Amino acid sequence: MRRLWAIGLVRGLVGQVIGFLLGIGLLSAVRMALGLPWKAEPAWVVGGFGGVLGFMIALGAFRDWYAWALGRETPDIEDIEETPGWQRYLGYSLDHKVIGVQYGVLSLLLLAIGGTFALIFRTELAQSGMQFLSLDFFNTLIGMHGMVLIISILLGFAAMANFLVPLLIGARDMAFPRLNAFSFWIAVPASITLLSAIFLGGFDTGWTAYPPLSIRAPLGMQMFFVGVFFNGWSSILGALNLITTIIWLRAPGMSLFRMPIFAWATLATSIIALTATQLIGLSFQMVMFERLFGMGFFEPAKGGNPILFQHLFWFYSHPAVYIFVLPGLGVISELLPVFVRKPLFGYRWVAMSSLGIALVGFLVWGHHMFTSGMEEYLRVPFMYSTLLVAVPTGIKFFSWVATLWQGRIRTPVPMLFVLGAIVVFLMGGLSGPPNGVVATDLHLHDTYFVVGHFHDTMFGGYIFPLFAAIYYWFPKVSGRKLNETLGRLHFWLMTPSFLVMTFGQMWVGMLGMRRRIADYDPAQGFDTAHLVITIAGFLIGLSVLIFFINLVISLRRGEVAVGNIWQSRSPEWQLLPSPAPMHNYPQPFRVVGDPYDYGLKGSRYVEPLTQPAGD
């Protein structure tokens, strides 16, 4: 029992239960003292906040900050030596690589859960008529599928950025290691709170939680709000840490335009996350207060305006699309030169295009509202700003094609997923303009065409690059390679299945199939298409299951990775063993060349620093 209690996750879960009960008890006592009747919804909301706080206290996330507040000293990060072993991944670690793996495991867990929700409601949709789900539970699954996978993607970005950025730029760790650990661990109770919405009546609003419907939704709606609110904290604090790390902790000689493209993508992504995430937290908090205190922000009967919610929500939620895809596009640009053995074409343009996408992303939120009843004169400027995103995105595509041209292309599993990402993201890009042009969006809005487009964008911009990154950097985590045969099976099963699924979704969408509905008229002739889409979805699920099997097998019996197995110029492959040691580079290095000069005779990117950097 004592060994079990020593695991931070166990303590945190116990603390969350205690904090939840204390929160409910505190609110009940206050209401009793004021002579007010007991109500379940305020009690659960306060309990949800108390549970998150209890988790963090029991975990020990505030331990060093307590010490500083009391005037005590704590060990410097470089003097801390953590005990190796699997237990460190279940506790409070300050090592950015451990935190990156923790983010990754939680992200993949939520990916599996959210994907399972999709398979359940896709089974219902495989045939017209209601089969086995109730309407309420179907609606809950639709909303949870969307938001759980959004949180999974945010955590997946944090996983890649936390593990890779310090290694890529030559830093010993993140700028704020304790804040880094806090940013991860607050996502754990937040995700549990989000999932608890299923057991508290669910909600029928979809992941967007539009009022006034969300004002009248069951109690699960509030747990949805609380879970997203705290996950937003995780995203904001993580973004602040990454920006500071990239700006201040680069190795000697690493100017901004000698920095790896993935670091540029992380910087652009973190700027969006830091400056926009408050808006979704604010919009959800206002609905929460409207339910708890009777405020009239969005309720028309009380003088509120539901379109105000959409402006607040989409001002975050469209830039959030670029939070999802910019890291993936960075992975593509990072890995492509390695397997083509050519310099990345137009490096500076690719670097600046990430910032361009981040900037323009703040100017396009209104294209989600063309049918909302907002002022008509706003439609045209939002349409043009939406189409403008194609310019910096096109720069990346031209760079990738030019890099591939006449290259010595190798196709191990990471490269297969890079090529798959390019093709699938292109499909997402080509299907985007019809949704951004007013005349066509009025017909396509809220149809399955949008569902197909969005899944193309997310899979091409995030899922395929995520798998490419895992297959490529897994040896830096474990010291072993993932199985190549299982990896190829994963790719060749998932890719055609996914294309069939999304083309089918766009096809039925153009024929008039509405999204977020549990049933459809058999006279519309959609049964066969939905059956094919559902089968394709299950094949995608099977491919991901093969990936998880590959992870487990390779962790135990995978081929040992020795040396620079990809012949990369990047410092983590040039200068570090696999797996990477706790404090990264025992000997500092300096940057003496450009990161992607593959195939150029005599070129070097990094060299060990044997004398002062100024010499």
Side-chain angles (χ1 to χ4, degrees), residues 167 476 563-564 571-581 584-586:
L167 294 177
K476 285 297 160 194
N564 187 354
E572 81 278 12
W573 291 108
Q574 292 276 353
L575 305 175
L576 288 180
S578 299
N584 297 347
Y585 300 96

Side-chain angles (χ1 to χ4, degrees), residues 260-407:
I261 285 294
F262 184 78
W264 275 104
T266 299
L267 180 62
T269 304
S270 299
I271 290 172
I272 300 174
L274 179 66
T275 55
T277 307
Q278 293 86 344
L279 273 296
I280 191 172
L282 174 64
S283 60
F284 283 0
Q285 183 181 345
M286 290 170 76
V287 180
M288 186 189 304
F289 284 0
E290 190 155 353
R291 292 174 60 114
L292 291 175
F293 306 122
M295 296 177 175
F297 298 119
F298 309 121
E299 176 64 76
K302 297 180 180 179
N305 185 355
I307 295 181
L308 170 62
F309 175 91
Q310 294 192 35
H311 280 294
L312 293 172
F313 177 85
W314 287 115
F315 190 78
Y316 164 78
S317 294
H318 194 86
V321 171
Y322 304 115
I323 296 178
F324 306 155
V325 304
L326 276 174
L329 306 187
V331 169
I332 296 171
S333 297
E334 192 71 42
L335 270 56
L336 201 59
V338 177
F339 298 111
V340 178
R341 311 313 294 174
K342 279 181 57 185
L344 179 68
F345 185 87
Y347 162 82
R348 293 193 175 212
W349 286 95
V350 175
M352 297 309 296
S353 69
S354 294
L355 295 180
I357 291 172
L359 175 62
V360 178
F362 281 98
L363 307 176
V364 303
W365 79 90
H367 71 229
H368 293 274
M369 301 170 59
F370 286 157
T371 64
S372 70
M374 74 173 183
E375 293 81 356
E376 291 188 7
Y377 65 82
L378 289 175
R379 288 175 174 175
V380 173
F382 276 122
M383 178 178 70
Y384 282 119
S385 64
T386 298
L387 298 177
L388 185 62
V389 177
V391 176
T393 308
I395 289 172
K396 294 186 183 294
F397 273 102
F398 284 124
S399 168
W400 298 335
V401 172
T403 303
L404 285 165
W405 182 255
Q406 294 186 337

Side-chain angles (χ1 to χ4, degrees), residues 25 141 216 413 487 512:
L141 288 177
R216 302 175 176 85
V413 174

